[in-house]
Amino acid sequence: MREDYTNQLASINEGLVSMADLVGKAIRGATDALLEDDLAIAEQVIAGDERINELNAEVEEMSARIAALQAPVATDLRLVMGAIRMATSLERMGDLAVHIAKQVRLRYPNPSIPAELKDTFSQMGEAASQIVAQTGEVISSRDTTLADNMKKYDDALDRLHRELFTVVLSENWSHGVEAAIDVTLLSRFYERFGDHAVSVARRVIHIVTGEPYAK
Amino acid sequence: MREDYTNQLASINEGLVSMADLVGKAIRGATDALLEDDLAIAEQVIAGDERINELNAEVEEMSARIAALQAPVATDLRLVMGAIRMATSLERMGDLAVHIAKQVRLRYPNPSIPAELKDTFSQMGEAASQIVAQTGEVISSRDTTLADNMKKYDDALDRLHRELFTVVLSENWSHGVEAAIDVTLLSRFYERFGDHAVSVARRVIHIVTGEPYAK
């Protein structure tokens, strides 16, 4: 029974790590599709989201089963309850990658972003890819010191998002209103992606330390 | 023990209903602030979000305690686990109302939206207010037939969001890029608000019927 229980807890963690892994692939794919106007990659990202949604449901089911059968306490209980919130955040991160990919599909064969913003979005994609890789690391290692490291990527995403506004609102912006709205929404998707990654890491800290969850 | 248990389950439901209530107040306040450029109301909405966040944490705590001590099964177990997801969605709806209120504060004393879009945002506010009122009703009554009713408000929000794009991208748009971005983001907040309301109602259906959760 105990061995079984330990395996079940490990399965929840593996589910979350798999989700982080797939979400990392999704945001890298979405960024590649965006930078290279690549419809095939965009379609892969969109289709790949189903597996992330399935894992989300699996994590919830496993958590419910353990809560019902094993009456976990302390750290284990926090893991079981926290896993549901983490899975929700990871699933939402997958959705954000899909939003980016769908924007590529919507504008294809036209480019989704003007050439002068490619570098900004490349940096956003890099920061988002790094932050979700760290999220996966924090979940699997429970090494809460790694969470500090994530702040720098989240700050980078916030800064890039602010900088993009300056570009779009400058006198030199020559791409019109629609392109301005497009790139602002795209940028917001990356920024929200970072926020969710940070909230997952904070959840792990709460599980490990038992300290109140800092929103 | 059993009586105590029933009270605890009722408390979770009450917590969720209170959240829906406060979120309803928040979105109505945010809409009033937006339509009347009212900074005082915007500040109230922003300050009021703390209580919603507290209730979110309380629902999680109650759910964790019941899961640990009572080993609930079937409908009760689905309620306990589902409550965490519903609280997350309601909390996020509160954040979206705050985003709207903060936009009012950012642009104050200037109006946040051009006069020609006041009617659109008034309709969005009305639909959002109705949809969260229905969400509260579905949670408290568990009458899943009410959920169908919500679809019409969600459809209205989607339609208004699409229509706004037409206005912003038309030749007649005279307010420039910044205002276009502002109103697009504001409109998106209402649209997302509706999506979250629907996801809460679907969760209630899952709890009551045990049928797989339709995303």
Side-chain angles (χ1 to χ4, degrees):
Chain A
M1 184 81 165
R2 278 291 107 176
E3 194 185 331
D4 201 41
Y5 173 56
T6 309
N7 284 342
Q8 283 172 352
L9 285 176
S11 298
I12 291 182
N13 234 32
E14 277 162 26
L16 292 170
V17 171
S18 297
M19 285 184 83
D21 212 41
L22 291 174
V23 168
K25 283 202 184 81
I27 196 69
R28 284 193 298 280
T31 306
D32 288 348
L34 186 67
L35 294 174
E36 288 157 38
D37 311 311
D38 190 322
L39 182 62
I41 301 181
E43 294 286 8
Q44 277 172 27
V45 171
I46 295 163
D49 195 46
E50 201 181 319
R51 182 66 195 128
I52 297 174
N53 294 341
E54 280 169 12
L55 280 167
N56 181 21
E58 283 169 32
V59 167
E60 177 169 346
E61 239 187 78
M62 288 189 281
S63 300
R65 207 177 314 130
I66 294 188
L69 298 178
Q70 309 280 10
V73 292
T75 308
D76 292 348
L77 177 61
R78 286 196 298 273
L79 170 64
V80 167
M81 305 309 276
I84 296 179
R85 296 243 198 210
M86 289 193 276
T88 305
S89 293
L90 287 163
E91 193 252 324
R92 182 76 194 123
M93 290 164 79
D95 287 346
L96 289 165
V98 166
H99 287 344
I100 295 166
K102 282 191 172 166
Q103 185 64 24
V104 173
R105 185 167 73 180
L106 182 70
R107 295 291 171 234
Y108 187 84
N110 296 315
S112 294
I113 49 172
E116 73 219 64
L117 281 175
K118 284 213 169 174
D119 185 49
T120 302
F121 278 101
S122 167
Q123 288 181 57
M124 282 185 187
E126 180 60 24
S129 167
Q130 293 285 352
I131 207 168
V132 69
Q134 295 277 326
T135 304
E137 271 290 303
V138 171
I139 297 170
S140 67
S141 69
R142 295 203 191 177
D143 177 353
T144 56
T145 62
L146 290 174
D148 296 332
N149 211 2
M150 292 174 67
K151 199 175 147 23
K152 95 176 162 207
Y153 298 114
D154 190 41
D155 289 346
L157 286 167
D158 290 346
R159 178 180 50 76
L160 290 161
H161 185 54
R162 280 195 308 276
E163 281 174 16
L164 179 126
F165 271 97
T166 333
V167 174
V168 164
L169 298 178
S170 82
E171 302 260 309
N172 302 323
W173 181 257
S174 60
H175 308 283
V177 172
E178 182 161 46
I181 292 173
D182 280 359
V183 297
T184 306
L185 284 179
L186 285 166
S187 168
R188 191 176 156 77
F189 297 149
Y190 283 100
E191 189 241 335
R192 293 287 309 151
F193 188 95
D195 291 344
H196 283 292
V198 169
S199 92
V200 174
R202 287 200 180 133
R203 184 58 61 176
V204 176
I205 294 172
H206 168 67
I207 290 167
V208 174
T209 66
E211 281 164 23
Y213 174 69
K215 202 206 154 192
Chain B
M1 185 80 166
R2 277 292 105 176
E3 194 185 331
D4 200 43
Y5 172 56
T6 309
N7 285 341
Q8 283 171 351
L9 286 176
S11 298
I12 292 182
N13 234 32
E14 278 161 28
L16 291 169
V17 171
S18 297
M19 286 184 82
D21 212 41
L22 290 174
V23 168
K25 283 202 184 81
I27 197 69
R28 283 193 298 279
T31 305
D32 288 347
L34 186 67
L35 294 174
E36 290 157 38
D37 312 309
D38 191 322
L39 183 61
I41 301 182
E43 293 287 8
Q44 277 172 28
V45 172
I46 295 162
D49 195 46
E50 201 181 319
R51 182 65 196 129
I52 297 173
N53 294 341
E54 280 169 12
L55 280 167
N56 181 21
E58 283 169 32
V59 167
E60 177 169 347
E61 240 187 79
M62 288 188 284
S63 301
R65 207 178 314 131
I66 295 189
L69 298 178
Q70 310 280 8
V73 293
T75 308
D76 292 349
L77 177 61
R78 286 195 298 274
L79 170 63
V80 167
M81 306 309 275
I84 296 180
R85 296 243 198 209
M86 288 193 276
T88 305
S89 293
L90 287 164
E91 193 251 326
R92 182 77 194 123
M93 290 164 79
D95 288 347
L96 290 164
V98 166
H99 287 344
I100 295 166
K102 283 191 172 167
Q103 185 66 23
V104 174
R105 185 167 73 179
L106 182 70
R107 295 291 171 233
Y108 186 84
N110 296 315
S112 293
I113 48 171
E116 73 219 61
L117 282 175
K118 284 211 169 177
D119 185 50
T120 303
F121 279 100
S122 166
Q123 288 181 59
M124 282 185 187
E126 180 59 24
S129 167
Q130 294 284 354
I131 207 169
V132 68
Q134 295 276 326
T135 304
E137 271 290 302
V138 171
I139 297 170
S140 66
S141 69
R142 296 202 189 175
D143 177 354
T144 57
T145 61
L146 291 173
D148 295 334
N149 212 1
M150 293 174 66
K151 199 174 147 26
K152 96 177 159 204
Y153 298 114
D154 190 41
D155 289 347
L157 286 168
D158 290 348
R159 178 181 50 76
L160 289 162
H161 185 54
R162 280 195 308 276
E163 282 173 15
L164 180 124
F165 271 99
T166 332
V167 174
V168 163
L169 298 177
S170 83
E171 301 259 312
N172 302 324
W173 181 255
S174 60
H175 308 283
V177 172
E178 183 162 44
I181 293 173
D182 280 359
V183 298
T184 306
L185 284 179
L186 285 166
S187 168
R188 190 174 157 78
F189 297 148
Y190 283 101
E191 189 240 336
R192 292 288 307 150
F193 188 96
D195 291 344
H196 283 292
V198 169
S199 93
V200 173
R202 288 199 180 134
R203 183 59 62 174
V204 175
I205 295 172
H206 168 67
I207 290 168
V208 174
T209 65
E211 280 164 25
Y213 174 69
K215 203 206 152 191

